[in-house]
Amino acid sequence: MDDAVWHGIAGEVVKSMGSKHFHRELIKLLEASIPSQAVWIIRYSGKLPPDVVYTHNVPDAVRTIYDARCSAIDPFCKRWNVQREGGVYALSQLHDESADYLLYTKRFLTAAKMDDELGIFLPETAHNCFAFFLERQNGHFSDEEIERARLLYPALAGFHRVHLGWIFSELAAGDAPEAFGLPDRPTLIRDCAGETVYASASWRTLEKVTPALLDKVAFAARGRVEELAIGSMILRLEELGADFPLAPGGSMFVVEHRPNGYGQLPPTDELARFSPREREVMEFTLRGVPTPRIAEQLGISPGTVKNTKIRLYRKASVSTERELVQKYMALLA
């Protein structure tokens, strides 16, 4: 990172902010720090399938195999769908004994002729995540290289956030979201005073046909509730940082359809006190699913499930799983 070439690439990244070439320039900064034989940029977005945005040194046949046979079992995608957090992850860190993981490594890595992958998930914005992937042909990424990626991550994330701020400022002037690669899902941005500074066309349309939408927005804003159900949809709240140019310290609201198999509990304000993860665990518990099976379904450890249940008991003012089921089973029914 002290190399003059690296700083030259960083300058090109800054120059590309606000353009459709930004992420291609940004991944060059990562490549200059950690050697690899191929790179991917993939966008993860709610219930939509993974979208391959860009590849370098990847044969068309390998990309076709990923799209047709491997995207649905991608362990990186599974991790993001469960946790929705940015960060650095080596493929080995996602290892489990599931059939999907074994099938993915057998199909994809064999087709790509690669031994290892390193994934860098940029911060989620508008419930949309850009992820960079470096591929190693011979051998695995070392602990030192993974730590180097983590040291570099704040710079990558910072560049990305400033880029998005510029993009949303342009959107407010009327540009289409397709210009920078975010899906046109209903999106509302308000400043720290609660005033609307941007509403997408799809949001304005949804607002006309969904009378409860603004009431849900107000409820989420008052209680800082990250997720609320609206019929067959989910309203998600994201608090914006002080460095977000369009609305420093403001809030972003995004509506998306519920993922399949999730959100069977009815959209009541009584459940708003629980986080998305807590509601997932509650639903499985109400259906009689044991802790090990819940952990398998959600891709988390049994210990995490047990800790989530403890939080559920506290918020629900109960002491046992039996009491929790008795209190909320009627909602599931």
Side-chain angles (χ1 to χ4, degrees), residues 13-190:
V13 171
V14 174
K15 288 165 59 177
S16 70
M17 286 179 178
S19 78
K20 62 182 180 181
H21 304 296
F22 169 76
H23 289 102
R24 296 188 185 187
E25 295 298 329
L26 188 61
I27 201 170
K28 291 179 183 177
L29 202 60
L30 186 61
E31 288 183 275
S33 306
I34 303 173
S36 64
Q37 281 70 53
V39 300
W40 297 61
I41 301 176
I42 298 179
R43 180 176 60 228
Y44 299 124
S45 180
K47 65 177 292 187
L48 300 176
D51 178 21
V52 179
V53 177
Y54 171 76
T55 61
H56 178 61
N57 284 343
V58 176
D60 290 341
V62 173
R63 178 166 173 173
T64 299
I65 289 173
Y66 176 83
D67 288 335
R69 304 176 63 191
C70 298
S71 62
I73 56 175
D74 178 352
F76 290 99
C77 181
K78 179 180 178 181
R79 188 217 67 87
W80 184 77
N81 281 327
V82 171
Q83 299 184 9
R84 295 207 175 197
E85 296 176 351
V88 177
Y89 299 88
L91 180 61
S92 58
Q93 294 175 298
L94 307 182
H95 177 269
D96 59 34
E97 298 302 326
S98 68
D100 282 350
Y101 181 89
L102 297 175
L103 197 58
Y104 175 84
T105 54
K106 182 177 180 180
R107 281 182 177 175
F108 179 69
L109 292 186
T110 300
K113 298 180 180 179
M114 296 292 169
D115 288 340
D116 199 11
E117 291 183 286
L118 183 63
I120 293 84
F121 290 76
L122 297 174
E124 179 185 11
T125 299
H127 304 284
N128 181 90
C129 173
F130 282 87
F132 293 167
F133 295 95
L134 303 183
E135 296 193 339
R136 178 65 53 80
Q137 196 168 47
N138 296 304
H140 293 74
F141 291 97
S142 67
D143 292 342
E144 181 183 357
E145 289 172 322
I146 295 172
E147 181 60 26
R148 190 182 309 153
R150 291 192 176 118
L151 288 172
L152 181 60
Y153 183 81
L156 299 175
F159 284 142
H160 175 69
R161 191 164 186 83
V162 174
H163 164 73
L164 287 176
W166 286 17
I167 288 298
F168 275 107
S169 295
E170 293 176 8
L171 276 179
D175 290 344
E178 289 79 4
F180 62 97
L182 290 181
D184 184 21
R185 60 164 59 97
T187 303
L188 172 73
I189 299 178
R190 288 182 170 178

Side-chain angles (χ1 to χ4, degrees), residues 41 86 89 96 127 141-142 167 176-177 187 214 228 234 236 239 270-271 278 280 301 326 329 332:
I41 301 176
Y89 299 88
D96 59 34
H127 304 284
F141 291 97
S142 67
I167 288 298
T187 303
L214 291 183
L228 282 175
I234 295 174
R236 300 187 189 276
E239 296 188 35
E270 184 178 0
L271 295 177
E278 290 165 351
E280 287 178 325
S301 70
Q326 289 176 338
M329 179 56 79
L332 186 62

Side-chain angles (χ1 to χ4, degrees), residues 2-13:
D2 293 330
D3 188 85
V5 174
W6 192 92
H7 286 281
I9 296 173
E12 293 300 317
V13 171

Side-chain angles (χ1 to χ4, degrees), residues 289-304:
V289 180
T291 292
R293 181 63 175 163
I294 295 175
E296 179 182 339
Q297 289 289 320
L298 297 180
I300 56 180
S301 70
T304 299

